[in-house]
Amino acid sequence: RCMIILKSPREIALIREAGKVVAEALQAVKAIAVPGTRTIDLNRVASGVFQKYGAVALFKGVQGGRGKPPFPASICASVNEQVVHGIPGDRRLREGDILSLDTGCRLNGWCADAAVTLAIGQVALEIQRLLNVTEETLAIAIREMARQRKWSQVAALMEDYVHSHGYSLVEKFVGHGIGREMHEDPQVPNFVSRALLKNDFWLEEGLVVAIEPMVNVGTKDVRVLGDHWTVETKDRRLSAHVEHTVAITASGPQILTQPAA
């Protein structure tokens, strides 16, 4: 049974404080995400931001299931055909790559989680189109949370928009509730399925969710690489991923993972 914990305005304000740190970490990483930078250097920069605020990196040490190694880094750095959970290492970014960066932290007991996909140097027009469609899919979701009553209605609009551009949505990974823990109920898919219709949820004040569309140029099918973490598209075509932690408040949906004003 799905147990959604609605958050009070005070709790949402605390999640927003964690969200500002996540946003600052992503901005700091973005500043050095240029051709020639190693993905491990990006991790070091994000870790430094978390340290500065006394925040705990959510991803580091996450258990990968029986017999699998825990996740070793503060960020996921997924390049090109990699969808999510890329482990930072000695790989150097190259002109024309795209890089999905995902990170989260816990600050004063509350969690926030966000992701961006960056163009490294100049990218081809059709690659920029993928990034634009992925960002707009997230924007549609946040906008429509104010207009629709149930999540399935929002998910249907996200799915329609992606498919209208000839892309596919990853179905193996979905968004999630967030608060005291990184992953709470409900599951927040970017598409409509029988499982969602069975576990649909109301868009009501106090709901806090991490919404994260993953959009692929080709097939929606993915596989996990030998490192037990990195997920790539089965056809090895490009994938983009964006995410915000969003709360429904008395004045409508609010993004909690934005930089401090």
Side-chain angles (χ1 to χ4, degrees):
R1 181 107 185 92
C2 187
M3 289 291 297
I4 297 173
I5 305 164
L6 298 177
K7 312 299 190 287
S8 69
R10 185 189 72 85
E11 290 169 336
I12 289 170
L14 288 164
I15 296 170
R16 189 192 298 276
E17 290 308 305
K20 286 177 189 168
V21 177
V22 170
E24 186 174 321
L26 287 173
Q27 279 188 314
V29 170
K30 191 176 178 174
I32 64 157
V34 296
T37 303
R38 297 178 309 162
T39 54
I40 196 73
D41 299 329
L42 307 175
N43 184 69
R44 200 179 60 243
V45 165
S47 300
V49 173
F50 292 152
Q51 234 167 338
K52 180 171 92 171
Y53 290 98
V56 177
L58 285 176
F59 298 0
K60 194 164 186 181
V62 166
Q63 289 305 317
R66 184 179 287 166
K68 292 179 180 172
F71 194 78
S74 303
I75 64 168
C76 298
S78 309
V79 183
N80 296 336
E81 73 282 354
Q82 296 173 353
V83 182
V84 283
H85 304 163
I87 297 176
D90 286 328
R91 179 174 186 164
R92 290 188 187 275
L93 298 173
R94 299 193 344 208
E95 182 87 18
D97 280 345
I98 58 172
L99 169 70
S100 297
L101 288 169
D102 188 358
T103 195
C105 75
R106 181 183 272 111
L107 183 69
N108 300 321
W110 293 91
C111 301
D113 185 7
V116 292
T117 298
L118 306 175
I120 305 302
Q122 291 290 312
V123 297
L125 275 175
E126 64 266 26
I127 297 176
Q128 188 59 53
R129 183 170 164 264
L130 171 69
L131 303 188
N132 295 347
V133 167
T134 306
E135 283 167 16
E136 182 57 21
T137 304
L138 179 57
I140 286 168
I142 296 165
R143 215 164 43 232
E144 291 295 336
M145 285 173 83
R147 300 176 184 164
Q148 308 301 330
R149 299 185 63 209
K150 288 193 142 186
W151 179 257
S152 61
Q153 296 167 303
V154 176
L157 293 165
M158 296 170 79
E159 186 172 33
D160 286 349
Y161 180 74
V162 169
H163 290 167
S164 75
H165 286 84
Y167 298 137
S168 66
L169 277 157
V170 172
E171 295 182 6
K172 190 117 200 278
F173 300 93
V174 297
H176 48 91
I178 188 167
R180 289 263 181 208
E181 299 300 328
M182 172 165 59
H183 292 120
E184 297 183 355
D185 285 339
Q187 289 215 325
V188 185
N190 312 299
F191 54 91
V192 180
S193 64
R194 237 184 311 190
L196 171 57
L197 295 174
K198 208 168 107 182
N199 298 294
D200 208 357
F201 54 94
W202 297 99
L203 300 172
E204 56 189 320
E205 191 180 332
L207 181 75
V208 181
V209 288
I211 305 166
E212 48 179 326
M214 299 159 209
V215 179
N216 294 353
V217 170
T219 181
K220 67 180 181 183
D221 297 325
V222 298
R223 62 173 159 237
V224 181
L225 300 186
D227 64 16
H228 301 296
W229 279 105
T230 308
V231 176
E232 70 170 21
T233 56
K234 267 201 175 156
D235 58 8
R236 307 211 57 219
R237 295 177 76 191
L238 295 180
S239 181
H241 170 218
V242 293
E243 176 183 20
H244 269 309
T245 297
V246 182
I248 299 184
T249 71
S251 54
Q254 292 191 5
I255 297 172
L256 304 183
T257 37
Q258 279 184 323

